[in-house]
Amino acid sequence: MKVAVVSCMKNEGPFVLEWVAYHKAIGFDDIYVVTNDCTDGTDLILERLQAIGVVHHHDQTVPPGHSPQLNGLKTILGLPQMSDTSWLLHIDADEFLRVSVGEGRVGDLLEVCGHADNIALMWRPFGNSGHRYWRGGSVLRSFLRCQGRPRPPNSGHKSMFRPAKFSFATDHMPKMPHDLDILSVNSKGDEISSESIKNPKRARYGVPGDKLTWDVACIHHYAIRSLDIFLMKNDRGDGMGHQHKKYYLNSTFFRRHNSNDVHDTGILERIDDVEALLSEWLQDTELRRLEQNALRVFQDRRDRYLTSQRIADLTM
């Protein structure tokens, strides 16, 4: 049984190595990353990782008017390798699957939920933990404050699903099931409705409050990270190709996701494995140079873009 994770990225160079290392460390067999229009060398980092056998990288040209994420997912789901992939998780570069049972590996999640066709994994929002400027380092070690309990206003989910059962997927869920009799569950393995999956226009699950859970597994969502990283999303645009006021300081999205209510270090249970992989990979001088350059590019662009006036304009 092969289990894979896929992400669509643009200008995530300072963060991509840790994201890849973490998901390798928790047991994903294959990691697919689709990039587009990178200016910080994210694509070059992934090309180097592919050369040393760590990831599968696809650099795409997005047709005018199309979403980078949806186009990227279409590319990955159309690969011949998907016929050998039992489960596929789609998440973003600021999202990490946290499994809180067994040894914290993806196989432990499937021990609980493997009877289903689709697993809805709820976001757990992590705030900026007081960080205003990013100087490099580990996202997992830097941002340890988060929302204290599941609640409906922050009930977003991502999906881990059997790709053979579906024809397509959006950023939050698979779509177009080959058989309408499919089973969707939450992370505890409890059945939830699959109606959103069957409806081509629905973007989110309608999970009732009593089925919202972070038990067994959830998605640690570092949507804010430091304040400068958050504001720089306005320079890049989002994964669906949209520009909007979601990424303004004090926006509804910012207030909901900048959650610093409790301290949680659970994801660090696998940090030794993550850092061992990073240490091994960064012995490659070219990979180390590319990552260092990506951080410099981010900081240089940030210092030019985030003037005092621009920050004021991006504050609600």
Side-chain angles (χ1 to χ4, degrees), residues 22-39:
Y22 175 81
H23 289 98
K24 276 286 185 187
I26 67 168
F28 281 96
D29 300 297
D30 291 312
I31 296 180
Y32 296 90
V33 183
V34 183
T35 56
N36 66 280
D37 304 318
C38 294
T39 58

Side-chain angles (χ1 to χ4, degrees), residues 80 91 123 126 136 155 163 178 181 249 268 289 291:
I91 51 177
W123 275 336
F126 278 68
S155 58
H178 300 310
D181 187 21
L249 295 180
L268 297 182
R289 183 191 70 80
E291 186 188 44

Side-chain angles (χ1 to χ4, degrees), residues 62-263:
V62 183
H66 286 243
S67 154
Q69 276 192 339
L70 299 187
N71 199 70
L73 282 169
K74 182 179 179 181
T75 296
I76 298 304
L77 287 170
L79 294 175
Q81 299 95 304
M82 284 298 109
S83 63
D84 298 323
T85 302
S86 301
W87 289 92
L88 181 67
L89 170 68
H90 171 245
I91 51 177
D92 296 333
D94 61 1
E95 297 172 334
F96 291 69
L97 173 65
R98 159 75 172 133
V99 180
S100 53
V101 296
E103 296 181 351
R105 293 171 62 85
V106 65
D108 298 308
L109 168 61
L110 293 176
E111 284 288 327
V112 177
C113 298
H115 60 288
D117 302 306
N118 173 61
I119 308 166
L121 298 159
M122 189 178 177
W123 275 336
R124 186 169 193 181
F126 278 68
N128 74 325
S129 294
H131 293 276
R132 298 182 62 84
Y133 290 94
W134 186 247
R135 295 175 175 83
S138 165
V139 168
L140 300 180
R141 287 191 179 277
S142 298
F143 305 107
L144 296 170
R145 299 202 66 83
C146 58
Q147 188 173 303
R149 58 181 177 83
R151 56 191 184 91
N154 269 357
S155 58
H157 293 74
K158 289 298 180 79
S159 302
M160 186 166 168
F161 58 93
R162 298 182 184 271
K165 296 272 189 175
F166 303 90
S167 299
F168 186 58
T170 62
D171 51 340
H172 285 268
M173 65 182 67
K175 293 286 187 181
M176 299 169 62
H178 300 310
D179 181 352
L180 292 180
D181 187 21
I182 57 170
L183 175 62
S184 294
V185 299
N186 64 11
S187 61
K188 291 173 62 178
D190 299 331
E191 183 173 359
I192 61 171
S193 172
S194 294
E195 289 308 306
S196 294
I197 291 171
K198 299 172 186 177
N199 186 330
K201 295 184 179 180
R202 287 285 296 276
R204 301 296 178 99
Y205 291 97
V207 180
D210 62 344
K211 295 289 181 71
L212 296 176
T213 182
W214 298 326
D215 290 349
V216 180
C218 64
I219 300 295
H220 282 203
H221 193 192
Y222 303 92
I224 307 299
R225 291 179 286 196
S226 57
L227 298 187
D228 57 345
I229 295 172
F230 177 73
L231 289 175
M232 287 300 289
K233 293 183 179 183
N234 293 284
D235 184 47
R236 184 197 66 190
D238 72 8
M240 299 299 283
H242 298 152
Q243 294 280 353
H244 40 57
K245 293 187 176 181
K246 183 167 85 171
Y247 298 134
Y248 281 33
L249 295 180
N250 299 327
S251 67
T252 299
F253 180 90
F254 177 84
R255 288 185 281 106
R256 285 181 176 174
H257 287 79
N258 191 28
S259 297
N260 297 281
D261 305 330
V262 298
H263 189 255

